[in-house]
Amino acid sequence: QLQFVESGGGLVQPGGSLRLSCAASGFTLDWYAIGWFRQAPGKEREGVSCISSTGDRTNYADSVKGRFTISRDNAKNTVYLQMNSLKVEDTGVYYCAEVLKGSTIVAVPGWYWGQGTQVTVSS
């Protein structure tokens, strides 16, 4: 199965920025569309953004449009999520996963979620 390692989370004040990374080891990412998801305490996991295998297509949840940017560097086997103008409601554990296609933020059926990386936005 595919396995990714998320990193880059932390504590940041509202209005601040973080850059999350989703890295893969032992295989090549370039064939896979990847999405970012998050889960806040007491809430269901939700899709945040996704990107096609080549990076030509992206999609964002309405709540993050204009603030977050997804990108990828296939040579480094890494997908990024640049998070700007962070809000308290962005707080949660962020995960990356393979998605069905680069234009839709839906994880492939049966995806085994990793540990994620914690993002906390607080003053």
Side-chain angles (χ1 to χ4, degrees), residues 4-5 7 19-24 29 32-36 50-52 70-74 76-81 96:
F4 304 136
V5 178
S7 63
R19 185 177 177 85
L20 306 184
S21 296
C22 173
L29 262 184
Y32 301 99
I34 305 297
W36 282 98
C50 61
I51 187 168
S52 64
I70 190 170
S71 62
R72 66 191 301 157
D73 186 341
N74 286 343
K76 296 181 178 179
N77 273 353
T78 304
V79 174
Y80 304 97
L81 184 68
C96 56

Side-chain angles (χ1 to χ4, degrees), residues 34-78:
I34 305 297
W36 282 98
F37 302 78
R38 68 187 180 190
Q39 186 169 23
K43 299 182 66 177
E44 296 295 317
R45 183 181 292 109
E46 64 176 340
V48 175
S49 184
C50 61
I51 187 168
S52 64
S53 61
T54 59
D56 61 321
R57 293 179 296 155
T58 60
N59 197 14
Y60 299 90
D62 289 341
S63 60
V64 307
K65 286 181 179 177
R67 300 187 298 117
F68 291 8
T69 303
I70 190 170
S71 62
R72 66 191 301 157
D73 186 341
N74 286 343
K76 296 181 178 179
N77 273 353
T78 304

